């Protein structure tokens, strides 16, 4: 009974941290329930996908952050 309570708390913490980091909270709710404290450690170590600096994605060819699109850029 105590183990089930611990897993439920861990799943809630994982879902909360996932929503803060811009990840799917339902998926991390399940991962947190299945892995317990390990899921919390994993979600803490993952990068934040909700970054607003314009460099969320990297250019696969040049291996550098993709340039942020500006309103006055012309599409080619």
């Amino acid at each position: 009974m105590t183990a089930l309570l611990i897993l439920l708390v861990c799943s809630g913490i994982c879902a909360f941290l996932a929503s803060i980091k811009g990840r799917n909270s339902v998926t991390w709710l399940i991962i947190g329930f299945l892995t317990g404290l390990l899921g919390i450690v994993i979600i803490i170590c993952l990068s934040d996908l909700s970054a607003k600096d314009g460099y969320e994605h990297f250019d696969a060819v040049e291996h550098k952050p993709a340039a942020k699109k500006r309103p006055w850029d012309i599409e080619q």
Side-chain angles (χ1 to χ4, degrees):
M1 186 67 183
T2 305
L4 182 63
L5 182 63
I6 291 172
L7 289 175
L8 288 173
V9 169
C10 288
S11 64
I13 292 171
C14 280
F16 175 72
L17 292 174
S19 67
I20 290 173
K21 291 188 170 232
R23 297 182 179 270
N24 188 343
S25 58
V26 175
T27 301
W28 280 97
L29 183 82
I30 296 168
I31 291 172
F33 183 76
L34 295 175
T35 60
L37 290 174
L38 181 62
I40 294 173
V41 171
I42 292 171
I43 192 68
I44 288 173
C45 293
L46 290 177
S47 63
D48 188 0
L49 295 180
S50 63
K52 303 293 184 202
D53 60 0
Y55 295 102
E56 295 110 2
H57 304 288
F58 284 84
D59 185 357
V61 176
E62 298 183 19
H63 302 290
K64 66 179 185 178
K68 186 175 181 181
K69 291 215 181 260
R70 298 170 297 209
W72 56 85
D73 287 340
I74 299 173
E75 294 290 329
Q76 296 182 1

